[in-house]
Amino acid sequence: MAAAAGVGGLEVRLDPWHALTLEREGRTVRAVAHVGHLTSELGATEADDEAALELRVVPSTAAPYAREQGPDEVVALLHDAQGARELGRIDGRYVSTEIAGGFTGRMVGLVCREGAIDVRSYRCTEIPES
């Protein structure tokens, strides 16, 4: 996503109050967690125009035979000339029906909070488990 006059980016959400947003405003990219009525900036950095934003859901790292599997995590990443940089992560339960209620499940997509944003490409893929 190139720098533009607006504020926007990618978001994984259950509803407007339970989401992880990776947004860009000018050259600043930030990861913002929304849990209920609390909003927290998890991390921020400067990025060039060629930077790519990524939200990734990472499965639990518990052993497959463990009695209790832990929750997945939603990770906000920035890819640029410096490599991949993590700006923040949240426990996946905060964007699930387990905590937030509801019945639709997670949604992922583009968001524009203010003005207009330029999006060069958008891709949503499922990475098969190994």
Side-chain angles (χ1 to χ4, degrees):
M1 187 172 92
V7 178
L10 299 173
E11 186 169 81
V12 171
R13 68 169 14 196
L14 188 70
D15 59 32
W17 305 280
H18 300 88
L20 176 61
T21 307
L22 185 55
E23 66 183 21
R24 181 169 190 150
E25 181 175 11
R27 296 188 84 67
T28 303
V29 176
R30 69 181 136 283
V32 181
H34 310 275
V35 180
H37 294 288
L38 301 174
T39 298
S40 178
E41 183 177 297
L42 303 177
T45 191
E46 296 296 307
D48 60 36
D49 286 346
E50 301 305 314
L53 308 180
E54 178 186 2
L55 289 174
R56 181 181 294 178
V57 175
V58 179
S60 168
T61 56
Y65 53 84
R67 185 178 183 105
E68 297 267 337
Q69 289 291 312
D72 61 5
E73 294 181 307
V74 184
V75 183
L77 300 160
L78 171 71
H79 299 271
D80 64 6
Q82 297 179 33
R85 293 183 277 162
E86 183 178 315
L87 296 181
R89 67 176 53 213
I90 62 171
D91 182 314
R93 292 175 290 191
Y94 291 120
V95 286
S96 74
T97 56
E98 184 177 347
I99 287 182
F103 59 89
T104 60
R106 291 180 183 152
M107 296 171 278
V108 62
L110 300 168
V111 294
C112 183
R113 302 230 184 277
E114 182 180 306
I117 60 172
D118 295 330
V119 178
R120 292 192 182 136
S121 68
Y122 174 82
R123 183 176 63 189
C124 183
T125 60
E126 179 179 352
I127 300 172
E129 293 184 34
S130 27

